[in-house]
């Protein structure tokens, strides 16, 4: 494994994983993952289906606690503190390490309540109206929904629902946002809006973005981690590097094969904004 | 293509006919039940006048109203169908065979006064007031006790149970309990509520006994037994409803830092609630017609005063059972009328369940 970007990144990292592994029913799905995420950066997790991207993301916010068959090995540090220590509250970990899922999962409640629910839970006295407005504003959804805040969130389009889920995550004031294939089910225009949003949020959070879409990783990320299953069908982190160096000078032949195979000639046209 | 099609079409026709036959059998048997009850719940009766009967068992006779006077004694009765198609013949038989002064009148055993009147030894004046009150009390107690307990148990099993093995074991035993015959629950009710918890269920501990000799054979005991009978079904239904809550909504809620209780309170219960309510009502509606448990717990034959929770009691299925067992024609009509009231109660409960279900669908 290569840790060529470790130096700067690890010093500013908010969240880091060391020798992290996940097993289901004692069968390892992914192992030996060492990686760190810093505020102001988007880190893309790329790799073929089943290489363990989702498993790693869920280990970062202790979501595996809810799956009885899942076991997590190694350590995950949030601001230097191991989140799996016995004195750490998993619920607080999940507030500070938010997660947005592939399928938009708005609560079957009003738009307002979707954003307010989490916020209300964590701080009773705060001005909820302001939190909701700010969350929706930052998610770029305010203008579209400000006149129908009491309407059910299920009536929004899939793209709007996904941005609502991001607003809901922002509203509980996390440090890290994990995004698992968040644009996979969306049409190109909605995808574009979510991508713009990710670039806007980048400066305030450490964003970890699992994606199948190599071009998307190229457009959005500052660093990339590449996962692949080994001969034992266990996911491995093959390479972790700055996006530019990974795309133009991958160290590992397998990385190069994956990137060029998937991205093809589009690689040259990728344009980074933000 | 064609030669292959024909045998398949034929076998599918056979299968379709079998299914249609099963449906017809189902509908026919349901219709038969209802038709029989309705058929015997009303019809012509031959009433011997008070003077015609020499052993007049009627006690007092306050205000008499035209056809529901309750004067006299039922000598013979006919079903609704007979009364409609053979009226002439019946009239002739009555005047030829029955003593002078015998009136032939059309009587619906089910009437408002039948529902509102208490017990009377005269079948023409008796009613089910006590039994109806007893059954309604039992439903109320079962709802208040079994629904919260069942829902709480299901939430524990689904959301909080620490070990998978424990969860599975408990789920299996709940399913087993749901299949135990009601007589067994009746026996448990007798031993547990009537005997062991007698001081409580008789109301003696609260100074609220309603019987001369404090006894555990009260509405509270019967209601608690009914609750016990419905509890496993409610747990199972609640477990299914909780499981039907979308996992991604649950995950999303946890991902903004919610605790298990917050997820249950704000997402699981609101989504599963109407479904649980509907299933609970159905379970209780099914149980309210069960005579076995009520008899085991010690229903009285005769209840004079309106029963309170700690009173001796009776219930609709028991009354219907007792009346149906009697040889006199009039009591068969009364039994059918009592069963109709019971059916009506079940229909009302089912309607409530349907309303709850449709609410569940609308919020989705
Ligand atoms: N709950 C689970 N129980 C058992 N095995 C699981 C579970 N979740 C994932 N796996 C297995 O773990 C491995 C890694 O899956 P994971 O979902 O983490 O990969 P991924 O990179 O996110 O894939 P995709 O790109 O398809 O989303 C796969 O082999 C998968 O079958
Ligand atoms: Mg995945």
């Amino acid at each position: 494994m290569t840790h060529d970007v470790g130096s700067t990144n690890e010093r500013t990292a908010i969240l880091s994983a060391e020798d992290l592994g996940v097993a289901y029913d004692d069968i390892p799905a992914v192992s030996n993952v060492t990686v760190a995420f810093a505020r102001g950066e988007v880190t893309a997790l790329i790799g073929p289906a089943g290489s363990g991207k989702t498993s790693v993301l869920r280990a970062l916010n202790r979501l595996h606690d809810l799956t009885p068959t899942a076991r997590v090995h190694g350590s995950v540090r949030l601001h230097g503190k191991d989140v799996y220590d016995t004195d750490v509250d998993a619920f607080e970990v999940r507030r500070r390490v938010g997660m947005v899922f592939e399928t938009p999962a708005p609560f079957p409640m009003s738009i307002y309540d979707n954003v307010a629910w989490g916020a209300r839970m964590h701080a009773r006295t705060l001005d909820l109206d302001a939190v909701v407005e700010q969350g929706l504003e930052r998610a770029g959804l305010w203008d579209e929904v400000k006149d129908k805040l009491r309407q059910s969130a299920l009536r929004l389009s899939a793209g709007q629902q996904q941005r609502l889920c991001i607003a809901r995550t922002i509203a509980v004031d996390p440090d890290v946002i994990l995004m698992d294939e968040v644009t996979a089910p969306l049409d190109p225009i909605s995808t574009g809006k979510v991508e713009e949003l990710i670039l806007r949020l980048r400066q305030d959070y450490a964003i970890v973005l699992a994606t199948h879409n190599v071009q998307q990783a190229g457009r959005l990320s500052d660093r990339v981690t590449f996962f692949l299953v080994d001969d034992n069908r266990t996911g491995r982190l093959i390479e972790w590097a700055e996006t530019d160096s990974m795309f133009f000078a991958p160290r590992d032949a397998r990385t190069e094969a994956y990137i060029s195979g998937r991205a093809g000639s589009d690689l040259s046209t990728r344009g980074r904004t933000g | 293509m064609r030669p292959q099609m024909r045998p398949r079409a034929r076998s599918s026709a056979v299968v379709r006919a079998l299914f249609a036959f099963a449906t017809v059998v189902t509908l026919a048997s349901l219709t038969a039940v209802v038709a029989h009850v309705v058929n015997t719940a009303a019809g012509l009766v031959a009433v011997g006048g008070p003077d015609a009967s020499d052993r007049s068992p009627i006690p007092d006779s306050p205000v008499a109203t035209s056809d529901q006077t309750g004067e006299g004694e039922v000598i013979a009765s006919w079903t609704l169908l007979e009364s409609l198609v053979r009226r002439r013949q019946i009239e002739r038989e009555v005047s030829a065979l029955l003593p002078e002064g015998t009136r032939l009148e059309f009587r619906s055993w089910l009437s408002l006064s039948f529902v509102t009147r208490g017990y009377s030894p005269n079948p023409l004046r008796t009613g089910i007031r006590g039994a109806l009150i007893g059954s309604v009390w039992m439903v109320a107690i079962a709802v208040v006790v079994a629904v919260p307990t069942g829902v709480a148990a299901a939430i524990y099993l689904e959301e909080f149970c620490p070990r998978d093995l424990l969860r599975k074991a408990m789920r299996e035993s709940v399913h087993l309990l749901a299949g135990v015959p009601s007589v067994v629950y009746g026996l448990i009710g007798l031993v547990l509520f009537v005997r062991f918890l007698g001081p409580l269920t008789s109301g003696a501990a609260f100074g609220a006994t309603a019987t001369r000799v404090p006894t555990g054979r009260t509405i509270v005991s019967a209601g608690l037994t009914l609750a016990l009978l419905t509890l496993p079904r409610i747990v199972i239904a609640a477990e299914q409803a909780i499981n039907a809550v979308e996992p991604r909504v649950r995950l999303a809620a946890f991902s903004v830092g919610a605790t298990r209780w917050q997820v249950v309170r704000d997402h699981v219960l609101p989504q599963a609630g109407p479904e649980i309510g509907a299933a609970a009502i159905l379970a209780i509606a099914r149980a309210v017609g069960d005579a076995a448990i009520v008899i085991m717990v010690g229903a009285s034959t005769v209840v004079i005063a309106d029963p309170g929770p700690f009173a001796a009691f009776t219930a609709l299925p028991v009354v219907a059972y007792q009346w149906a067992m009697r040889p006199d024609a009039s009591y068969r009509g009364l039994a059918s009328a009592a069963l109709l009231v019971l059916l009506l109660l079940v229909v009302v409960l089912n309607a409530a369940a349907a309303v709850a279900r449709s609410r569940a669908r609308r919020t989705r």
Side-chain angles (χ1 to χ4, degrees):
Chain A
M1 233 179 301
T2 44
H3 300 292
D4 57 335
V5 287
S7 53
T8 47
N9 187 276
E10 259 162 16
R11 255 187 283 121
T12 56
I14 300 177
L15 182 70
S16 61
E18 199 174 322
D19 206 13
L20 182 67
V22 180
Y24 301 101
D25 291 313
D26 295 326
I27 300 165
V30 58
S31 60
N32 302 109
V33 175
T34 299
V35 64
F37 310 101
R39 183 189 290 272
E41 285 187 357
V42 176
T43 304
L45 312 188
I46 62 171
S51 55
K53 306 180 291 293
T54 299
S55 300
V56 169
L57 285 185
R58 292 186 177 198
L60 296 177
N61 70 343
R62 289 191 62 171
L63 216 51
H64 287 305
D65 289 11
L66 306 174
T67 315
T69 54
R71 289 276 170 282
V72 176
H73 313 277
S75 70
V76 174
R77 291 181 182 279
L78 180 64
H79 298 294
K81 172 81 179 159
D82 192 330
V83 301
Y84 285 96
D85 276 354
T86 44
D87 61 334
V88 172
D89 177 7
F91 305 108
E92 179 62 13
V93 170
R94 293 190 203 115
R95 181 188 73 74
R96 296 173 70 167
V97 184
M99 184 152 189
V100 185
F101 300 85
E102 171 170 354
T103 322
F107 301 137
M109 301 173 165
S110 70
I111 294 171
Y112 182 96
D113 285 335
N114 258 274
V115 184
W117 187 71
R120 188 187 290 131
M121 211 161 54
H122 294 292
R124 284 173 195 283
T125 52
L126 92 207
D127 179 359
L128 276 180
D129 290 350
V131 171
V132 170
E133 177 169 351
Q134 204 185 349
L136 289 169
E137 188 75 67
R138 300 202 63 193
L141 202 58
W142 177 250
D143 289 334
E144 288 163 63
V145 301
K146 63 170 183 270
D147 299 324
K148 47 180 181 180
L149 291 175
R150 296 289 161 193
Q151 197 178 308
S152 167
L154 302 180
R155 306 238 296 263
L156 296 173
S157 75
Q160 288 173 323
Q161 287 186 1
Q162 197 61 299
R163 281 181 285 146
L164 180 65
C165 293
I166 295 174
R168 169 175 80 188
T169 305
I170 296 171
V172 297
D173 193 25
D175 300 328
V176 182
I177 304 178
L178 310 175
M179 298 187 176
D180 194 356
E181 315 262 13
V182 285
T183 63
L186 303 185
D187 64 273
I189 294 189
S190 300
T191 299
K193 285 186 179 161
V194 172
E195 289 191 358
E196 276 169 36
L197 174 57
I198 292 171
L199 290 173
R200 255 186 286 128
L201 294 176
R202 172 173 160 262
Q203 65 196 75
D204 297 316
Y205 306 95
I207 294 179
V208 186
L209 176 76
T211 177
H212 274 130
N213 184 332
V214 177
Q215 294 148 278
Q216 184 177 63
R219 284 194 295 274
L220 300 180
S221 69
D222 301 276
R223 289 166 209 275
V224 181
T225 57
F226 174 57
F227 290 81
L228 208 57
V229 282
D230 66 12
D231 299 336
N232 300 322
R233 308 207 44 75
T234 304
R236 300 274 173 185
L237 196 159
I238 303 297
E239 193 164 342
W240 168 35
E242 283 183 9
T243 304
D244 288 318
S245 69
M246 168 104 68
F247 274 63
F248 291 113
R251 300 194 160 203
D252 197 292
R254 292 167 294 183
T255 314
E256 178 168 26
Y258 183 76
I259 288 174
S260 56
R262 283 297 193 91
S265 57
D266 287 343
L267 260 183
S268 55
T269 62
R270 79 199 171 86
R272 298 264 310 281
T273 44
Chain B
M1 264 333 234
R2 218 177 255 150
Q4 270 181 344
M5 292 285 284
R6 224 179 278 131
R8 281 179 52 180
R10 199 180 304 134
S11 76
S12 105
V14 169
V15 167
R16 201 172 50 200
L18 280 175
F19 288 165
F21 177 70
T23 312
V24 168
V25 168
T26 309
L27 285 178
S29 51
L30 283 177
T31 315
V33 169
V34 176
H36 172 77
V37 173
V38 172
N39 194 29
T40 47
L44 288 169
V45 288
V47 183
D51 41 319
S53 119
D54 40 13
R55 45 192 168 91
S56 161
I58 312 131
D60 54 73
S61 55
V63 205
T65 54
S66 62
D67 74 325
Q68 303 267 310
T69 48
E71 303 290 326
E73 190 184 348
V74 177
I75 302 170
S77 72
W78 291 266
T79 66
L80 185 57
L81 191 67
E82 283 176 319
S83 310
L84 291 179
V85 299
R86 296 180 44 223
R87 177 147 199 159
R88 286 274 151 68
Q89 215 177 325
I90 292 170
E91 274 167 5
R92 248 180 284 124
E93 276 171 31
V94 168
S95 55
L97 300 174
L98 295 180
E100 199 71 19
T102 303
R103 298 193 310 278
L104 186 65
E105 55 187 48
F106 187 85
R107 183 180 178 88
S108 166
W109 294 101
L110 177 63
S111 65
L112 194 63
S113 57
F114 173 71
V115 176
T116 55
R117 269 184 193 157
Y119 171 79
S120 157
N122 178 355
L124 291 175
R125 301 173 53 79
T126 195
I128 52 163
R129 186 189 183 97
L132 183 61
I133 293 175
S135 282
V136 169
W137 262 116
M138 285 170 59
V139 168
I141 292 172
V143 167
V144 167
V145 174
V147 173
T149 313
V151 171
I155 289 175
Y156 179 77
L157 284 180
E158 289 300 310
E159 306 281 346
F160 294 99
C161 192
R163 295 210 195 293
D164 230 30
L165 195 68
L166 181 61
R167 188 208 315 268
K168 274 183 195 133
M170 285 175 64
R171 196 180 284 161
E172 282 309 312
S173 41
V174 167
H175 275 266
L176 201 72
L177 284 175
V180 169
S182 57
V183 214
V184 178
Y185 281 98
L187 189 65
I188 296 170
L190 179 64
V191 172
L192 183 64
F193 298 129
V194 176
R195 302 225 175 104
F196 185 66
L197 295 177
L200 294 177
T201 53
S202 66
F206 319 106
T209 38
T211 45
R212 260 163 297 154
V213 185
T215 160
R217 298 166 177 268
T218 57
I219 285 188
V220 170
S221 292
L224 289 176
T225 311
L226 194 71
L228 213 59
L229 173 66
T230 49
L231 193 56
R233 279 168 216 281
I234 293 176
V235 173
I236 292 171
E239 271 198 290
Q240 280 167 352
I242 289 171
N243 263 322
V245 173
E246 286 192 66
R248 58 204 177 102
V249 167
R250 193 189 294 262
L251 276 183
F254 280 119
S255 296
V256 289
T259 62
R260 287 202 178 255
W261 168 236
Q262 285 163 333
V263 174
V264 169
R265 186 192 58 198
D266 292 347
H267 296 291
V268 174
L269 282 184
Q271 273 192 63
E275 201 64 51
I276 296 175
I281 293 170
L282 286 183
I284 290 169
R286 180 79 192 74
V288 72
D290 197 301
I293 52 166
V294 204
I295 293 174
M296 294 287 282
V297 174
S300 313
T301 325
V302 171
V303 171
I304 312 269
D306 287 356
F310 297 117
F313 73 103
T314 191
L316 282 175
V318 178
V319 166
Y321 168 75
Q322 285 162 347
W323 281 342
M325 288 299 112
R326 297 181 66 145
D328 349 8
S330 48
Y331 279 102
R332 248 176 285 143
L334 286 171
S336 292
L339 285 178
L340 273 182
V341 174
L342 183 59
L343 274 178
L344 220 63
L345 184 64
V346 171
V347 166
V348 167
L349 288 172
N350 276 276
V355 170
R357 281 247 157 78
S358 77
R359 259 208 58 205
R361 230 163 274 136
R362 223 178 311 138
T363 53
R364 213 162 274 153

